[in-house]
Amino acid sequence: MDTQIIYTILAGILLVISALGTIFPVLPGSLLTIGTLLAWGWLLGSTASWWTAGIGMAIALAGWSASAILTGRKLKEHQVPKGSILFAVIGAIAGAFIIPVVGLFIGFAVGLFAGESVRRQELSGAFSSSWAALKALGLGIVVEFGCVLLASSVWVIGLITHFATR
């Protein structure tokens, strides 16, 4: 079997894992996409693979940046402090061990609500700011996931072009 085919299969597997990594933040989604595309472009070394890697990495980097900026802006807009986010992260870690698969998300939400409840000393304000923070994080995940999928689509076009022209 040709080594370029092996590299391409491995890159495809890593891109699927990176897409899952944007949904399950335990895995570094966009970073894995960027690294995979760079390695694939370098290992194949054709004009098509380099163009594909460059375009795909730019899209993944844009999604990663947009996710961070959108989420940060929304959290600042709703005045959710870093302390509440720390509670949420601790809750997510605990939830991942207590409840398989969905515990990460449930733990994050419970931890965020607990942090906001302690800070605000009222349940209605804690609920509204927690809900706003969860929507902001959800928007960030959707944007990053969409950009990783778009970068992966560019990769599919690039691999077809690469193998058709070699």
Side-chain angles (χ1 to χ4, degrees):
M1 186 179 275
D2 189 6
T3 56
Q4 290 187 350
I5 294 172
I6 294 170
Y7 295 147
T8 301
I9 291 169
L10 289 174
I13 292 168
L14 288 173
L15 288 173
V16 169
I17 292 170
S18 70
L20 292 174
T22 60
I23 298 170
F24 298 100
V26 176
L27 304 169
S30 292
L31 182 62
L32 184 58
T33 301
I34 292 166
T36 299
L37 291 173
L38 179 63
W40 182 79
W42 179 66
L43 290 170
L44 270 60
S46 70
T47 303
S49 67
W50 276 115
W51 274 101
T52 299
I55 293 168
M57 289 184 333
I59 292 169
L61 184 62
W64 195 11
S65 301
S67 171
I69 291 169
L70 288 172
T71 303
R73 183 180 300 154
K74 286 290 185 183
L75 291 177
K76 196 177 267 189
E77 183 179 302
H78 291 283
Q79 299 172 344
V80 178
K82 292 179 181 162
S84 294
I85 299 299
L86 180 62
F87 267 88
V89 170
I90 292 168
I93 292 168
F97 288 107
I98 295 170
I99 306 169
V101 183
V102 297
L104 184 77
F105 302 110
I106 293 170
F108 187 88
V110 169
L112 182 64
F113 181 72
E116 283 296 285
S117 296
V118 167
R119 180 177 77 92
R120 290 182 175 258
Q121 300 294 318
E122 62 166 320
L123 293 181
S124 64
F127 180 78
S128 66
S129 63
S130 296
W131 181 246
L134 289 174
K135 288 192 306 187
L137 292 170
L139 176 64
I141 288 171
V142 168
V143 168
E144 189 174 357
F145 180 69
C147 287
V148 165
L149 289 183
L150 184 58
S152 298
S153 299
V154 168
W155 174 77
V156 170
I157 294 167
L159 79 87
I160 291 169
T161 305
H162 169 77
F163 286 109
T165 60
R166 72 175 188 156

